[in-house]
Amino acid sequence: MKIGELSKLSQISIRMLRYYEEAGLLAPKRSVSGYRQFEIADIERVKLIHKLNSAGLTLKVIRKILPCWQHQNKKFSPCKEFKNGLSDTLLKLDEQIELLQQSRSHLISLLNEN
């Protein structure tokens, strides 16, 4: 299938699909005329990539953990790389939460100074 059809079936924009390809997350074959040719399994693959990215994982981390996904079974089994990537992402989120809480406290103290 061509990129437009993959976009419709996966509900992921063509622009994002090209971005995933540039990031090494997709490797479509090319037709003689140069068009990208995607497989049926790529539909679930791009949905998974989008879901993981929306959950806060970087594309670099996703590229490392994609081998955990067994596309023939449409199953995602947590492997060591996935767990490590998830742990790193959780640590970063905790750091961001702490910074936001500090910012919030500073703003509240500024409001209470009057």
Side-chain angles (χ1 to χ4, degrees):
M1 84 184 80
K2 292 181 182 174
I3 196 167
E5 187 177 357
L6 176 61
S7 176
K8 286 179 187 174
L9 293 172
S10 66
Q11 299 181 350
I12 306 295
S13 71
I14 291 173
R15 184 176 177 197
M16 187 60 71
L17 294 172
R18 288 183 181 138
Y19 184 64
Y20 290 164
E21 182 183 1
E22 288 175 22
L25 299 168
L26 295 173
K29 295 176 184 173
R30 294 284 180 154
S31 69
V32 176
S33 56
Y35 290 104
R36 292 169 179 87
Q37 293 293 317
F38 293 94
E39 305 292 327
I40 296 295
D42 289 324
I43 298 168
E44 294 302 318
R45 183 180 181 93
V46 296
K47 286 180 178 180
L48 176 64
I49 292 167
H50 183 73
K51 184 184 282 188
L52 293 171
N53 191 235
S54 296
L57 276 72
T58 65
L59 296 183
K60 182 179 177 181
V61 170
I62 294 170
R63 189 173 46 249
K64 288 180 184 177
I65 65 172
L66 271 179
C68 298
W69 184 57
Q70 301 169 3
H71 63 274
Q72 66 274 14
N73 297 330
K74 295 184 180 180
K75 182 180 175 187
F76 188 71
S77 301
C79 59
K80 180 181 175 186
E81 290 82 6
F82 172 77
K83 290 179 181 180
N84 290 342
L86 190 59
S87 294
D88 291 346
T89 301
L90 286 171
L91 286 173
K92 288 176 186 173
L93 285 173
D94 287 341
E95 290 171 4
Q96 291 174 342
I97 289 169
E98 178 63 30
L99 288 172
L100 287 170
Q101 287 176 334
Q102 289 174 10
S103 295
R104 185 177 189 283
S105 294
H106 290 304
L107 291 173
I108 288 173
S109 67
L110 287 173
L111 281 174
N112 292 332
E113 284 184 6
N114 294 336

